[in-house]
Amino acid sequence: QVQLVESGGGLVQPGGSLRLSCVVSRNIFGINVLGWYRQAPGKQRELVATITAGGSTTYADSLMGRFTISRDFLKNTIYLRMNSLKPEDTAVYYCNAVVLKIDYWGQGIQVTVSS
C-alpha cells in the first residue's frame, strides 16, 4: 500500500504561481511512474505531468511549458511548479504513483485561479 498526500493548493490570481507537493509513504527511488493529474468541474481527469524512475518527464501539450514536475528522493516528495496560471487551470489536482502496475492516488487538492 502506498499513501500520497498533496499540499500547496489554494487561490491564486491569473498570472501567478503555485507549487504543489506530494509526500509519498515509501521510498520513491524505483517507483515506475510518479505524476500529477487534474480534474476540472464537469470534466474528466486528465494528465498534467509524469516522471519515470529514469527521470524522463512528460507534460500535457496544452500546458505549453508553464508547469514543471520534479522530485526529491531524500524527502520522498514530488512537486509540481505551476507558473503563469490561467483560470482554466482551476481544478482538483491529484498525485499519482504507479507501483507494480497498480495505481495509487492522493486525496486531491484544490487549485483555483481567479481574480
Side-chain angles (χ1 to χ4, degrees):
Q1 193 74 5
V2 179
Q3 282 80 45
L4 308 167
V5 180
E6 302 101 335
S7 63
L11 174 65
V12 62
Q13 292 187 343
S17 298
L18 278 178
R19 189 182 76 162
L20 303 182
S21 301
C22 172
V23 178
V24 184
S25 64
R26 54 153 280 178
N27 193 328
I28 64 172
F29 184 82
I31 289 183
N32 303 88
V33 183
L34 291 158
W36 290 94
Y37 290 72
R38 68 185 182 185
Q39 187 167 17
K43 295 187 177 181
Q44 292 187 330
R45 191 173 298 187
E46 63 177 0
L47 168 74
V48 174
T50 62
I51 185 166
T52 68
S56 298
T57 56
T58 302
Y59 295 92
D61 291 340
S62 61
L63 296 178
M64 298 186 68
R66 297 183 294 118
F67 292 9
T68 304
I69 188 171
S70 61
R71 60 190 174 180
D72 185 328
F73 291 117
L74 293 179
K75 296 181 179 180
N76 293 325
T77 301
I78 63 168
Y79 302 98
L80 184 69
R81 178 68 180 181
M82 306 184 290
N83 295 327
S84 302
L85 282 162
K86 304 175 181 180
E88 51 263 43
D89 294 318
T90 295
V92 177
Y93 285 70
Y94 296 91
C95 182
N96 170 265
V98 181
V99 180
L100 298 177
K101 299 183 179 181
I102 298 174
D103 276 290
Y104 295 92
W105 296 92
Q107 79 285 357
I109 191 162
Q110 179 70 43
V111 172
T112 301
V113 184
S114 175
S115 56

